[in-house]
Amino acid sequence: MSELLQQTEFYLKQQVSPYANQIDGCSKSLHQALNGLGELGILGLRIPQRWGGPQLDAETFFKFQELIARYSGALAFLQTQHQSAAGMLIQSSNAQLQAEYLPRMSHGIAKIGVGFSHLRRLGNPSITAIPVTGGYQLNGIVPWVTGWGIFEEFIVAATLPDGQSVWGLVPFSEQKIGESTIALSFPMLLCAMTSTNTVTATLTQWFLPQEKVISIHPVGWIQNNDKTKVLHASFLAFGCARAGLDIVETAFYKTELSFIQEAFNALNEELNQCRSQIFWVQNNPQTLKTSEKYKLRAWAIELAMRCAHAAVTVSSGAANLNSHSAQRIYREALVFTVSGQTTELMVATLERIKNCREID
């Protein structure tokens, strides 16, 4: 394990794991945990060194994501929004924005969220952009934006008249400048990770200046991007699965019941197999069809659910308590089931659930 991962795990064990249930429900506690990652300088792991980032390789980055999810799903989900925003800025052709934001993102001095999942939806776009002098006028609804009260800005994606999409930075707060407004809903009552403060943003005649534009992507870009990165979120599911198995393993040490150890051994072996296969495919992306990659991602999702279910099972009636770690992990598995979901992933997940049965 690299020094960075060791440092991260030490922080997570000392400052996050004991408070994971509190972090799940309290935005202030989550914000503090995120600031702790910022103090370590690990909130912009893919940022090149010339902008003050560690420029981590892909494999270590995925191990980092898995590690965070093992100790707190809410923290993992929140920081991945910020890491995604950094990734978009790294790929931007706007050198001025890069110089302004990237050096401040690794330490969380600048905290940025994202709002683009609506581009995956079929039908009329939920938010549109009209070219105007000096930039674009944005109108519509961003259905999901995570991190209100934590992130100062977010990257919004809006559909242009020709079907392309423009991506740019807007304030993550209520704004009113003449007829131009940004209105935010109350934070949604989610099944888990309520502390992430996920809201809906409504933009009315909002002016996005050209200097705040990060990129313009062609029609269908997000669908192609999803296919390229189909396995990336698997590592959040792996972290969740590992968290469930931590509870199962602890239950065995307390009870010394052999059937609990047998369940742990079987699930742990399957988790290692699934993880190894996905890492191998990540390193050899051309060896597997996209449809087969969706099957692997579905396996990771379904496995996380079973490991979380096992944690609930060995915790018995106490798992009914909203404050119990097993219930939190089970609810986190529900969130990771639908994170970044596409139609293809939904199909693969349902096929996995439908066909998963023990083979003698």
Side-chain angles (χ1 to χ4, degrees):
M1 185 181 292
S2 72
E3 183 178 348
L4 184 146
L5 293 180
Q6 290 177 341
Q7 185 182 35
T8 300
E9 186 164 30
F10 179 81
Y11 168 74
L12 293 170
K13 285 182 175 180
Q14 297 297 316
Q15 302 298 327
V16 174
S17 181
Y19 314 104
N21 295 331
Q22 180 179 330
I23 288 170
D24 182 71
C26 175
S27 180
K28 182 178 179 181
S29 297
L30 175 59
H31 199 170
Q32 290 175 344
L34 185 75
N35 286 340
L37 295 179
E39 290 172 5
L40 295 175
I42 53 179
L43 283 177
L45 293 176
R46 307 302 295 274
I47 295 176
Q49 294 178 356
R50 67 180 182 275
W51 285 310
Q55 199 169 347
L56 219 59
D57 62 274
E59 183 170 329
T60 308
F61 178 76
F62 294 137
K63 288 179 179 178
F64 173 88
Q65 298 285 37
E66 179 181 359
L67 193 61
I68 299 280
R70 180 178 185 175
Y71 293 101
S72 171
L75 181 59
F77 189 73
L78 184 70
Q79 63 84 34
T80 219
Q81 312 292 307
H82 180 80
Q83 303 270 11
S84 294
M88 294 173 192
L89 280 164
I90 291 168
Q91 298 299 320
S92 176
S93 59
N94 190 331
Q96 181 179 343
L97 270 189
Q98 291 176 324
E100 180 181 354
Y101 284 91
L102 288 175
R104 299 186 295 131
M105 291 185 73
S106 289
H107 289 276
I109 299 170
K111 298 186 180 75
I112 303 174
V114 293
F116 62 85
S117 62
H118 49 278
L119 289 185
R120 297 187 177 100
R121 298 183 177 185
L122 300 176
N124 294 328
S126 63
I127 182 164
T128 59
I130 300 172
V132 295
T133 302
Y136 301 86
Q137 187 185 85
L138 308 183
N139 286 282
I141 296 173
V142 186
W144 301 84
V145 194
T146 292
W148 173 75
I150 300 174
F151 297 143
E152 297 96 1
E153 297 175 272
F154 72 95
I155 298 174
V156 65
T159 304
L160 290 161
D162 63 0
Q164 296 190 93
S165 57
V166 59
W167 302 56
L169 280 164
V170 299
F172 199 170
S173 60
E174 298 237 320
Q175 302 278 324
K176 183 171 177 58
I177 305 173
E179 297 299 317
S180 302
T181 61
I182 296 178
L184 304 176
S185 71
F186 288 110
M188 301 177 191
L189 295 177
L190 305 177
C191 72
M193 311 179 191
T194 302
S195 60
T196 59
N197 284 356
T198 298
V199 300
T200 294
T202 302
L203 281 66
T204 304
Q205 297 183 29
W206 186 259
F207 178 63
L208 173 67
Q210 187 64 47
E211 55 266 25
K212 288 287 187 178
V213 172
I214 293 172
S215 58
I216 294 178
H217 290 302
V219 178
W221 178 86
I222 193 168
Q223 287 75 18
N224 293 329
N225 188 62
D226 284 340
K227 291 176 182 177
T228 301
K229 298 181 177 180
V230 61
L231 292 175
H232 288 198
S234 303
F235 300 96
L236 297 174
F238 289 149
C240 183
R242 185 63 63 193
L245 291 185
D246 287 341
I247 289 179
V248 176
E249 186 175 32
T250 299
F252 167 69
Y253 289 140
K254 286 182 178 179
T255 64
E256 297 186 349
L257 295 171
S258 60
F259 60 83
I260 294 181
Q261 184 181 36
E262 291 169 4
F264 171 83
N265 289 342
L267 289 168
N268 188 54
E269 181 180 358
E270 185 180 352
L271 176 57
N272 289 334
Q273 290 175 350
C274 183
R275 186 175 181 273
S276 295
Q277 286 191 37
I278 288 181
F279 264 120
W280 188 85
V281 173
Q282 283 293 99
N283 292 327
N284 303 274
Q286 303 304 319
T287 61
L288 211 61
K289 294 180 180 179
T290 303
S291 60
E292 296 301 314
K293 293 178 183 178
Y294 278 117
K295 290 180 181 179
L296 282 177
R297 170 81 180 278
W299 183 12
I301 287 170
E302 186 264 342
L303 181 55
M305 286 300 305
R306 282 192 284 127
C307 291
H309 201 177
V312 169
T313 302
V314 301
S315 300
S316 301
N320 285 318
L321 294 170
N322 191 58
S323 59
H324 197 283
S325 294
Q327 180 172 134
R328 170 180 55 81
I329 292 164
Y330 190 81
R331 289 183 279 115
E332 288 173 355
L334 297 178
V335 174
F336 292 137
T337 296
V338 296
S339 296
Q341 188 186 66
T342 63
T343 302
E344 294 88 347
L345 180 57
M346 182 188 293
V347 170
T349 305
L350 290 175
E351 285 296 313
R352 177 76 195 183
I353 294 170
K354 183 177 69 175
N355 297 323
C356 185
R357 55 177 65 91
E358 184 175 353
I359 301 174
D360 295 328

